[in-house]
């Protein structure tokens, strides 16, 4: 189900800043997903309650943005030498494998088909990857730009003006918006996010604007790979594009709130703009100026991003089985509680998990092993 390569030239053909930025995103994802105590978390490390955006809310869109960037770097050289049907078939196969992995992990930890969550982070990554790969192979950049605009405007219209069946009016509330109704109708409550059963933050309708996030990444990578612009010009325009997207997102937020769970159009622009700014800075510092001393830690995550994401489910699960006190706390959290306040012990436990996953990723990286799902 996976292709493992030990080709030493693999690192040389990669955009180092992309691996660093993606690795930073994966490390942040592990940090926010594995606190020692869910009752003691610093505010920036929590998702926003509904509308608004915290640093934690940016982790997922940053990853999908980089999925779009990665598609360009992986497929561009093959578009004219490999049949489109073969490229699309490979993308479809990868989507199916990621979906199988997600559901296999769920059934391993919670063996119940009747309550299997169908939407989720990995399923959204898989679907967005496939759709964006097809669009990149079969359409021009101008067409993709129009699709980006149509997707964001169309989603705004659907969510704000089409009445929700059984409710009678359009709204953006958690349980009564159009996306929540579609998820309950298609997946049924038993197959939605276990903390709500009435809506899902990775629901079906919200996948449409999530595709726009991937297209945002494709647009940036297409610009980045242009050979008729020098690096200074590229970075300047990337930073400008990012800043304009953030401003547009904030303006749209006035009547279509920035909301990660709904993946609103304003959220796509806001998060995509910040991702563009972040990647432009990384590209300038790492690939242009050559500041690479700090990169290996994050590259170890970024070079095997999906593998790191999957291990971030298994490693904390099994480490937490080693109890450290009478209350049943994992040994590492019980240890940190002897030295820190509850909130700092919770943060220290999360950092410990990040390093635990990193050790495995570092071994793969040093051996030049890259696992391609």
């Amino acid at each position: 189900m996976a292709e493992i390569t030990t080709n030493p030239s693999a690192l040389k053909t990669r955009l180092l800043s992309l691996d660093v930025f993606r690795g930073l995103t994966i490390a942040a994802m592990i940090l926010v997903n594995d606190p020692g105590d869910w009752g003691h978390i610093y505010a920036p490390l929590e998702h926003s309650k509904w509308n608004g955006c915290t640093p934690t809310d940016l982790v997922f869109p940053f990853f999908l943005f980089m999925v779009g960037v990665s598609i360009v770097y992986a497929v561009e050289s093959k578009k004219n030498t490999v049949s489109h049907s073969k490229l699309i078939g490979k993308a479809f196969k990868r989507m199916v494998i990621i979906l199988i992995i997600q559901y296999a992990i769920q059934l391993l930890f919670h063996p119940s088909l009747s309550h299997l969550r169908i939407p989720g982070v990995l399923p959204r990554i898989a679907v967005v990857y496939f759709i964006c790969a097809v669009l990149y192979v079969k359409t021009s950049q101008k067409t993709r730009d129009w699709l980006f605009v149509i997707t964001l405007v169309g989603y705004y219209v659907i969510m704000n003006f089409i009445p929700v069946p059984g409710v009678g009016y359009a709204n953006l509330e958690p349980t009564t918006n159009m996306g929540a109704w579609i998820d309950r109708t298609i997946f049924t409550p038993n197959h939605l996010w276990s903390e709500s059963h009435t809506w899902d933050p990775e629901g079906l309708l919200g996948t449409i604007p999530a595709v726009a996030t991937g297209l945002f990444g494709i647009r940036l990578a297409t610009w980045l790979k242009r050979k008729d612009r020098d690096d200074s010009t590229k970075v300047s325009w990337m930073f400008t594009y990012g800043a304009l997207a953030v401003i547009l997102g904030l303006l749209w937020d006035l009547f279509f709130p920035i909301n990660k769970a709904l993946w609103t159009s304003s959220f796509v622009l806001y998060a995509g703009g910040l991702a563009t700014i972040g990647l432009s800075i990384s590209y300038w510092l790492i690939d242009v100026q050559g500041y690479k001393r700090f990169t290996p830690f994050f590259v170890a995550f970024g070079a095997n991003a999906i593998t790191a994401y999957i291990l971030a489910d298994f490693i904390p699960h099994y480490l937490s089985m080693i109890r450290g006190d009478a209350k049943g706390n994992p040994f590492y959290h019980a240890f940190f509680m002897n030295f820190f306040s509850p909130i700092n012990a919770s943060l220290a436990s999360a950092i410990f998990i990040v390093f635990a996953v990193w050790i495995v990723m570092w071994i793969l990286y040093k051996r030049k092993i890259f696992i391609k799902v």
Side-chain angles (χ1 to χ4, degrees):
M1 292 179 62
E3 175 187 349
I4 301 176
T5 176
T6 57
N7 184 1
S9 66
L11 281 179
K12 297 179 182 179
T13 61
R14 304 178 75 98
L15 183 65
L16 185 58
S17 56
L18 176 62
D19 275 338
V20 171
F21 198 54
R22 182 167 46 208
L24 177 62
T25 301
I26 289 292
M29 179 273 296
I30 299 171
L31 185 73
V32 302
N33 282 352
D34 295 286
D37 182 354
W38 284 99
H40 295 89
I41 308 174
Y42 281 104
L45 301 181
E46 290 191 272
H47 288 291
S48 56
K49 299 302 181 184
W50 191 240
N51 293 332
C53 185
T54 70
T56 297
D57 291 325
L58 296 173
V59 172
F60 194 12
F62 275 25
F63 191 88
L64 286 185
F65 173 89
M66 287 178 285
V67 166
V69 176
S70 300
I71 287 172
V72 176
Y73 276 85
V75 176
E76 184 194 43
S77 62
K78 302 174 184 177
K79 286 177 68 175
N80 298 323
T81 59
V82 179
S83 69
H84 288 183
S85 60
K86 185 174 181 179
L87 291 174
I88 292 172
K90 187 174 182 179
F92 180 78
K93 178 182 177 182
R94 189 180 191 193
M95 176 186 68
V96 171
I97 290 173
I98 293 175
L99 291 173
I100 291 173
I101 290 173
Q102 166 64 20
Y103 300 135
I105 291 173
Q106 279 196 63
L107 292 173
L108 177 64
F109 294 148
H110 308 286
S112 173
L113 284 174
S114 61
H115 288 83
L116 180 74
R117 182 189 176 194
I118 298 176
V121 173
L122 275 182
R124 175 165 287 184
I125 291 173
V127 172
V128 168
Y129 162 75
F130 175 69
I131 294 175
C132 286
V134 172
L135 291 175
Y136 181 67
V137 170
K138 302 299 291 184
T139 65
S140 66
Q141 185 55 56
K142 183 177 180 180
T143 299
R144 292 191 295 271
D145 289 341
W146 276 110
L147 287 173
F148 179 82
V149 174
I150 292 170
T151 295
L152 296 188
V153 174
Y155 187 62
Y156 166 71
V157 171
I158 291 172
M159 295 298 290
N160 287 274
F161 298 103
I162 298 181
V164 180
V167 177
Y169 57 92
N171 69 94
L172 302 176
E173 296 303 313
T175 62
T176 56
N177 68 77
M178 180 63 78
W181 176 80
I182 290 175
D183 289 338
R184 288 194 300 271
T185 302
I186 295 178
F187 299 130
T188 74
N190 282 345
H191 297 288
L192 300 180
W193 187 40
S194 61
E195 294 188 25
S196 71
H197 291 298
T198 56
W199 62 278
D200 198 292
E202 280 76 49
L204 190 62
L205 188 60
T207 301
I208 296 174
V211 169
T213 299
L215 291 177
F216 204 139
I218 289 177
R219 153 51 73 185
L220 177 68
T222 302
W223 167 259
L224 194 58
K225 287 184 72 68
R226 290 182 60 171
K227 300 184 184 301
D228 60 340
R229 297 289 189 275
D230 59 70
D231 288 324
S232 296
T233 302
K234 288 179 182 179
V235 172
S236 297
W237 278 108
M238 285 164 58
F239 197 91
T240 301
Y241 288 150
L244 287 174
V246 170
I247 293 171
L248 288 174
L250 291 173
L251 290 174
W252 210 342
D253 172 63
L254 297 175
F255 49 95
F256 194 22
I258 291 173
N259 186 302
K260 184 262 180 187
L262 294 177
W263 215 278
T264 54
S265 304
S266 56
F267 178 69
V268 172
L269 291 174
Y270 180 73
L274 290 176
T276 300
I277 292 172
L279 185 56
S280 67
I281 293 173
S282 298
Y283 177 74
W284 177 255
L285 291 176
I286 298 168
D287 291 304
V288 178
Q289 297 299 316
Y291 294 109
K292 301 178 180 179
R293 184 175 299 178
F294 68 94
T295 61
F297 179 89
F298 297 109
V299 173
F301 280 121
N304 278 301
I306 294 294
T307 304
Y309 182 91
I310 294 169
L311 287 178
D313 276 332
F314 283 91
I315 291 177
H317 174 78
Y318 290 110
L319 286 179
S320 66
M321 295 173 67
I322 306 173
R323 303 303 182 184
D325 58 24
K327 296 181 179 179
N329 288 307
F331 74 94
Y332 52 89
H333 185 55
F335 172 79
F336 291 126
M337 288 176 66
N338 293 322
F339 302 98
F340 303 114
S341 64
I343 195 167
N344 286 326
S346 181
L347 176 60
S349 297
I351 294 173
F352 172 82
I353 293 298
V354 171
F355 275 95
V357 177
W358 175 81
I359 290 172
V360 180
M361 305 315 299
W362 180 251
I363 293 172
L364 294 176
Y365 173 67
K366 291 300 289 183
R367 294 184 178 182
K368 296 182 174 62
I369 297 174
F370 306 99
I371 302 174
K372 299 179 181 180
V373 175

